[in-house]
Amino acid sequence: MRDIHLVPVSYFPSENLEFPMVANLQTITPNQLFYVRNHFEYPTIDMNTWYLSIEELVDQPIKFTYADLKNMHKVTLSATLECAGNKRSLFERKAQGNQFKLGAISNAIWGGVRLKDVLDQAGVSPSATEIVFEGLDYGHRNDMDGQVFFKRSLPVAKALHPDTLLAYEMNGEPLSDKHGFPIRLIVPGWYAVASVKWLHRIRVVDQPFKGPFQSIDYVILKKANDYKHAQPLSPVLINSTIASPTEEEELAVGTNVVQGYAWAGEHSVTKVEISTDGGTLWTEANILDPDVPYSWRRWSFAWDAQKPGQYTIMSKATNDHGEVQPLKAEWNVKGYQNNAIHAVNVHVTAPNLVNSSNNILQETKQQGVFELLTLEIAKQLLEVAEQKARQMGLAFDIAIVDAGANLVAFHRMDYARIAGIEISKGKAWTSVAMQMPTANLAQSALPGGQHYGVNTTNQGRVTILGGGIPLVHEGMTVGGIGVAGGTMEQDMEVANAAVQAFAAVVGMK
């Protein structure tokens, strides 16, 4: 079953899913939201026969069972994995490959054994120059005959680095099938193609490895098919992303919070700067997370938007070597390593019903029967729902409307991207809650006919489908709360918390 939380990029010939890039999630990405990058179909693995072998230029070839590895000294390491094709679609000139936007990146705590400890048991020959890692995922390539297994190599020095791991855990849980069970390689600070999944064979060699995923794919080409001048991927470059606000979002005049992530691979992020005028003036943002090696850091910037208009917000990160994101990344045929300064265009408008209590109260009084759901009460319900969401460790979009289909309060985590349809990004939620008729809202539907959110009519009634519940007082529907972002059960749990709060405030019957 496809995970509705992740953003589809492709399903054929392999499944590739993006992390829904939002600023308000935890520093550690929940397993169910961790991005997915594959080259072939998921392999089927029989744990009764699986083992990990160390072969070729070693003193003693050796095979490890899953139990053998788990009985060795365990280490944990926080590391951000980024696909080399992350942000490929943001190149001005189209590049080859899956058109990833911002979400081919995630961060987790990996648990396992040091690769060095395993290699030391086999005894690496002094003549060795590279270590080749072979996964159990295989398939066909258009440029080769027969079946091809996914293989990559590392220099011996990087393989023996104490932070290079054979991981069997991800955020304290066993690796899932999608993320490389039973064992995957974790090469922190390098693009994630190096972190081979479904690992089953390690070969120690004294010649450069020339497999297709080493010498054809995942190389930097300035001209098509110019492999004579191909360059290998570098370690992860300094980079940052604006997670909120999003492209073309409408913001209100006043203070708006700009949030995002910054990362620097093997180095440390030391500074993030924000421009709200297209790059003329830069102001330093507040970095929210401590400096943890190999892990991204969240940042936040309070922007006082004083005048309506169109603005370009930009983020620029600097690492501890003084390296700064370029205005434009160097284009290459395969679209790798896009670390250009990230920019989003937003529209600042005059205060509206989202943040103006006077407008909301005036609107509800005009409706006559809707006076119970004031802005003050809606804010209380929203606070309860947000608290419940935090307790669950998840992020949700939450909207509260009155029975006249007026948006009273709104909490946007820019999170709920249902079946690839963005149904709750400020502008979308506002137009749905305030203007769209029932038939139009029904288009934001999950496969199978389930609906998330607030479904309104123009006759002073509110019907809630899916992750939402009406607010009823003395037999009359006075509003509703809609929630999107988790499973149906999780959405309903958050919505129910707000409904109970409403009952306590006004007395629901």
Side-chain angles (χ1 to χ4, degrees), residues 263-333:
W263 59 98
E266 296 177 320
H267 301 297
S268 298
V269 173
T270 56
K271 182 170 62 175
V272 178
E273 296 170 279
I274 304 301
S275 172
T276 57
D277 60 4
T280 301
L281 297 176
W282 294 88
T283 305
E284 194 162 339
N286 181 31
I287 297 179
L288 305 178
D289 295 315
D291 181 19
V292 176
Y294 312 118
S295 295
W296 64 15
R297 304 180 75 179
R298 296 173 301 159
W299 53 264
S300 179
F301 177 76
W303 173 37
D304 184 14
Q306 298 181 354
K307 296 181 180 180
Q310 182 171 336
Y311 294 83
T312 298
I313 304 174
M314 307 171 79
S315 68
K316 178 175 65 176
T318 302
N319 71 15
D320 55 357
H321 283 202
E323 296 167 332
V324 185
Q325 283 181 260
L327 182 61
K328 290 187 177 182
E330 189 170 358
W331 182 88
N332 58 93
V333 172

Side-chain angles (χ1 to χ4, degrees), residues 358-374:
N358 290 334
N359 286 345
I360 290 173
L361 293 177
Q362 181 181 4
E363 183 73 24
T364 56
K365 288 177 181 178
Q366 288 175 353
Q367 297 293 338
V369 298
F370 310 140
E371 295 175 351
L372 278 172
L373 193 57
T374 63

Side-chain angles (χ1 to χ4, degrees), residues 31 66 69-70 72-79 108-114 163-175 182-186:
N31 290 359
Y66 188 65
L69 295 171
K70 293 200 69 175
M72 294 178 64
H73 174 67
K74 178 183 175 181
V75 296
T76 59
L77 179 79
S78 176
I109 298 176
W110 307 96
V113 301
R114 290 187 175 94
D163 290 337
T164 302
L165 301 185
L166 297 176
Y168 50 76
E169 282 185 358
M170 179 178 177
N171 293 332
E173 299 178 0
L175 283 176
I183 296 292
R184 75 172 295 171
L185 185 65
I186 296 295

Side-chain angles (χ1 to χ4, degrees), residues 397-401 429 452-454 464 467-469 480-484 491 495:
D397 289 324
I398 305 165
I400 298 174
V401 297
W429 257 112
Y452 274 60
V454 182
I464 306 297
I469 305 175
I481 177 169
V483 179
D491 291 348

Side-chain angles (χ1 to χ4, degrees), residues 249-270:
E249 184 171 336
E250 289 187 359
L251 305 175
V253 167
T255 300
N256 292 277
V257 178
V258 182
Q259 296 177 300
Y261 296 90
W263 59 98
E266 296 177 320
H267 301 297
S268 298
V269 173
T270 56

